Amino acid sequence: MKRTHLIIILLSSFSIIYAQKKMECKYYKDIWQSQKTSETKGKYKECTEFENDSIKHITFTNLSAQQVLWEKKYVNDRPAGIWNFYNDNGQLKYQMDYNFTLKYGKFKPDGYCAVNPITHKLLEDGMEGTFEMPEYGTSNKTDVAYWIFDQVRYPTKAQEKGIQGKVILQFTIDANGEIGNVSILKGVDEDLDREAFRVIYRIKHVKPGKLNNKEIPLYVECPVNFRIQ
């Protein structure tokens, strides 16, 4: 009798878990998902697996090649986890990391020199000599705007709502080139804030700035502009 009850409980638990997961698929004629169509005419398929009411996993597939082009995860309709994007050969092209917690507020550690990322000048009194800006990314650019332009992706949800504006962030670069203390000084919308934070958070490491050929720790306030064209 006890064994029968155990089997019933296990089957019931499995049914509840299975019931929580459901799949919805949409079909498109084009890779930009601008032309929705039927399953028989679709060239691309977007499938959403609902893990529960708050978590969903979305995959986008090229049906002719049977190749997944991207994978995304959302928690409470916000980007989460690692988003993977693949080329036509199935090789990983790039990733978008959303494994972070948004932080707000200003924090400038002692001993860090403030620098203007636009004029490339130190903002501290008494800091004289030859100053060299940090170099961001693999292109050896000294302007962080190049990195932002290359990495930022306008959140679809914000675009659909017509939300735009300027997010201002802070971050520090220590004498070894490590990025830290990423925080939002002025936000616009959570989706835009999250994307701006992600782009700066992803830098991780740069060639450090120098004063008179010596590496120095820097504090940077940086704008990220979102404009709908």
Side-chain angles (χ1 to χ4, degrees), residues 19-36:
Q20 286 179 328
K21 289 193 175 185
K22 63 178 181 177
M23 184 81 72
E24 290 182 0
C25 293
K26 300 175 184 177
Y27 297 86
Y28 298 89
K29 291 182 179 180
D30 63 318
I31 196 171
W32 300 280
Q33 298 175 266
S34 63
Q35 300 181 61
K36 202 171 178 180

Side-chain angles (χ1 to χ4, degrees), residues 112-139:
Y112 278 67
C113 302
V115 62
N116 187 316
I118 298 174
T119 63
H120 294 186
K121 293 182 178 180
L122 292 174
L123 302 177
E124 305 287 335
D125 293 332
M127 305 299 291
E128 299 179 352
T130 303
F131 175 61
E132 299 175 46
M133 283 287 287
E135 294 181 1
Y136 300 86
T138 57
S139 59

Side-chain angles (χ1 to χ4, degrees), residues 151-214:
Q151 297 292 323
V152 74
R153 302 290 185 272
Y154 209 121
T156 302
K157 193 173 178 181
Q159 277 188 305
E160 291 173 347
K161 293 180 178 179
I163 299 172
Q164 54 185 355
K166 181 191 294 183
V167 181
I168 300 178
L169 301 97
Q170 69 147 46
F171 62 96
T172 56
I173 308 171
D174 68 18
N176 295 315
E178 299 295 327
I179 301 293
N181 301 302
V182 182
S183 182
I184 295 172
L185 300 178
K186 180 184 176 183
V188 175
D189 165 83
E190 185 172 345
D191 290 313
L192 297 188
D193 294 355
R194 188 175 297 277
E195 177 60 12
F197 191 99
R198 181 194 70 82
V199 170
I200 299 301
Y201 177 80
R202 187 168 184 254
I203 299 176
K204 303 294 186 185
H205 184 85
V206 301
K207 182 178 178 180
K210 294 181 180 180
L211 182 64
N212 296 324
N213 209 34
K214 181 180 179 181

Side-chain angles (χ1 to χ4, degrees), residues 1 38 87 94 103 129 133 144 147 185 188 192 194 229:
M1 190 68 175
S38 64
N87 60 25
Y94 67 92
K103 297 179 182 178
M133 283 287 287
V144 69
W147 171 269
L185 300 178
V188 175
L192 297 188
R194 188 175 297 277
Q229 303 296 326

